[in-house]
Amino acid sequence: MSPGVAATAAELAAVLQAYLTRRLPNAAKVTLGSLRRSGGGTSRENWSFDASWTTDGKPVTRPLLLRRDPIAGVVETDRQVEYRLLQALEGAPLPTPVVRWFEADGAELGRPFMIMDRAQGASDRAVLTDRNPFGLDVADRVTLGRRYCELLAEVHRLDIEHLGIDRVLPPPHGSPAEREIDRWEAELSRQALEPQPALRLVAWWLREHIPPQPTRLALVHGDYRPANALIHDGRVEALLDWEFAHLGDPLEDVGWYCAPLYRREHFIPGRWEQPDFLRRYTDLTGIEVSTAALSFWQTLAMFKLAVLALTAVRIFCAGDSRRPAAPAGTLVREVLRAAGAWPS
Amino acid sequence: MRPSPSELADGLRRTLRDVVAPEVADDYARSQLKLVIAALGQVDWDNAGLDLVRDADRLAGLLETCLPWLDAERDRHDERDVIVALVAEARPHDRAAVPSFADANDLRGRLEAAVERVVVLLRARLTDYSDDRAAADLRSRLWATLAGKE
């Protein structure tokens, strides 16, 4: 094994055990059990395990989750920022993971990683759909759909100064919408293996339809959807995957949640639809969602999804990821359709 | 040709879904298997090569509609000349000649790059002259065609 790489589960278990022994100086007999890579996570490797030790003769067992950077991921973000943000969020009335340790370099496990408490439950992007992976009845699914809306409102109502979030995430200079277009258009240039005239047109459309700036900056999760929430006994146990988080316009998350690509997964026909979601969101936050602003943020969401799909294609074609990626042409056409027509 | 590539891919998906997947206990391996099964269903294997050729033809047609606008101003003539040559390459006299997948893919990439350059020219023009109807009409046509509506 190369020093610090830990490629297999057995190697990882040995290195993790040694790491935890060093990080728990008052603990004796540190052992690891049930180490397994979990299925989710496109941007990180997630490994769940139980760590056991004794402190002052008393046995302790803690369910933990290791999140390690992949060799190549679809998201290049600063792990230290995510770690510090999760620390700041421990003071917030939100179900967020409790983080324990963070290592920024690859000395321990070959790549940066963090270890956090492992909450109970599972996530599934289809939780609200008739596929119903958790066996919830329709009323429970409607309650859960409302809960996603309420939690998003709670994220956006956080006092970012009081929690120190503005010391972790830099406030954008100027328009948050413009900053997001800059970021994702630059990503498009960096990631696409082939020319993307359709997405260049959409980037142009976005720049010509920038909504008014929000009255106040909010914490934007950046990937807020049922796939990133742990469910246990029909309730949201933890909001996960904060690596896209930034300060910006709260409607960015609303547009992401309401992106056309997700519509069939995020709402329940006849019971909990997009207008219900938007009404409830406005009731809870006081933030009006104009048609024009929603259209902008939905289109930006689709643009971002297409760029992420093209990133997945690039790393797959380079052999840096085992995750199969099909051509993104259909999605790219959907981005244009999401924006509607561009009247001459 | 039987099985066709799509029939073969469908058969592989069925075997992976109905025979292999139930026997895979590990979460991560199961999630990867689901992605493989999904990816096999996301490509029209029978027509992947033909679609490339059709796509190149569609892009060539779109670029032809850009020629009058490119012809209208001297500073667009270099791009016009490149596009005229590209369109000719995409519309060979010998229609029976079948390009390889790699050649068709390369041609389509160059046609897409040309459309991208037209977008850049249009954007610069409409930034300076927002009332240029011909440019705005062309932008709408590009949009509709690339969205698959024309």
Side-chain angles (χ1 to χ4, degrees), chain B residues 4-150:
Chain B
S4 73
S6 289
E7 283 177 320
L8 187 57
D10 285 346
L12 292 173
R13 293 183 75 209
R14 276 197 304 275
T15 302
L16 291 172
R17 188 190 62 214
D18 300 338
V19 180
V20 179
E23 299 303 317
V24 178
D26 180 76
D27 268 2
Y28 178 65
R30 204 166 47 235
S31 75
Q32 292 294 297
L33 183 58
K34 277 170 80 174
L35 292 171
V36 170
I37 293 168
L40 281 170
Q42 285 165 3
V43 174
D44 180 355
W45 301 99
D46 284 353
N47 292 300
L50 296 171
D51 282 347
L52 269 185
V53 174
R54 287 188 200 111
D55 218 23
D57 195 55
R58 182 180 61 94
L59 288 166
L62 178 62
L63 286 167
E64 276 179 321
T65 68
C66 300
L67 289 174
W69 185 77
L70 292 168
D71 202 39
E73 295 281 344
R74 187 180 298 275
D75 62 357
R76 301 176 202 146
H77 285 183
D78 285 352
E79 191 58 49
R80 176 201 62 189
D81 295 344
V82 170
I83 286 174
V84 166
L86 257 182
V87 169
E89 189 182 341
R91 300 264 167 78
H93 294 300
D94 180 7
R95 302 295 291 183
V98 178
S100 69
F101 186 93
D103 286 346
N105 209 17
D106 174 70
L107 176 62
R108 192 192 63 157
R110 286 184 288 126
L111 289 160
E112 283 188 322
V115 177
E116 199 171 270
R117 290 194 300 274
V118 172
V119 171
V120 171
L121 290 171
L122 279 171
R123 187 167 169 178
R125 175 69 183 176
L126 283 165
T127 300
D128 293 340
Y129 302 94
S130 59
D131 58 348
D132 183 333
R133 294 295 308 167
D137 287 345
L138 185 55
R139 177 178 63 186
S140 296
R141 167 156 297 187
L142 289 180
W143 185 283
T145 303
L146 293 172
K149 291 179 179 170
E150 281 188 1

Side-chain angles (χ1 to χ4, degrees), chain A residues 141-211:
Chain A
R141 280 186 276 150
V142 171
T143 302
L144 195 53
R146 287 204 183 98
R147 185 66 184 141
Y148 288 131
C149 183
E150 290 160 3
L151 283 169
L152 183 61
E154 284 180 30
V155 172
H156 293 165
R157 284 197 311 241
L158 291 177
D159 185 334
I160 54 179
E161 290 175 18
H162 175 72
L163 291 166
I165 293 171
D166 59 339
R167 292 192 290 280
V168 178
L169 301 171
H173 299 294
S175 159
E178 209 163 344
R179 184 189 62 174
E180 288 305 303
I181 303 171
D182 288 347
R183 175 182 178 189
W184 290 102
E185 198 174 7
E187 276 299 289
L188 172 64
S189 298
R190 209 162 66 90
Q191 303 292 356
L193 289 178
E194 298 166 312
Q196 297 294 333
L199 294 180
R200 297 293 174 192
L201 265 178
V202 173
W204 181 11
W205 183 94
L206 286 166
R207 287 192 190 281
E208 299 223 341
H209 292 81
I210 289 175

Side-chain angles (χ1 to χ4, degrees), chain A residues 270-344:
Chain A
R271 304 294 297 265
W272 176 249
E273 301 202 14
Q274 183 172 296
D276 303 314
F277 179 93
L278 296 175
R279 252 193 313 276
R280 182 86 180 119
Y281 177 81
T282 298
D283 287 346
L284 292 167
T285 60
I287 299 170
E288 295 290 338
V289 186
S290 73
T291 304
L294 183 63
S295 170
F296 171 87
W297 288 111
Q298 284 175 311
T299 304
L300 183 78
M302 294 292 287
F303 183 82
K304 186 170 147 183
L305 285 164
V307 173
L308 290 170
L310 292 169
T311 306
V313 166
R314 185 185 61 74
I315 59 179
F316 177 71
C317 290
D320 290 336
S321 167
R322 290 195 201 99
R323 188 185 176 88
T330 304
L331 176 57
V332 168
R333 281 191 290 280
E334 282 184 39
V335 181
L336 284 167
R337 288 174 184 158
W342 200 341
S344 58

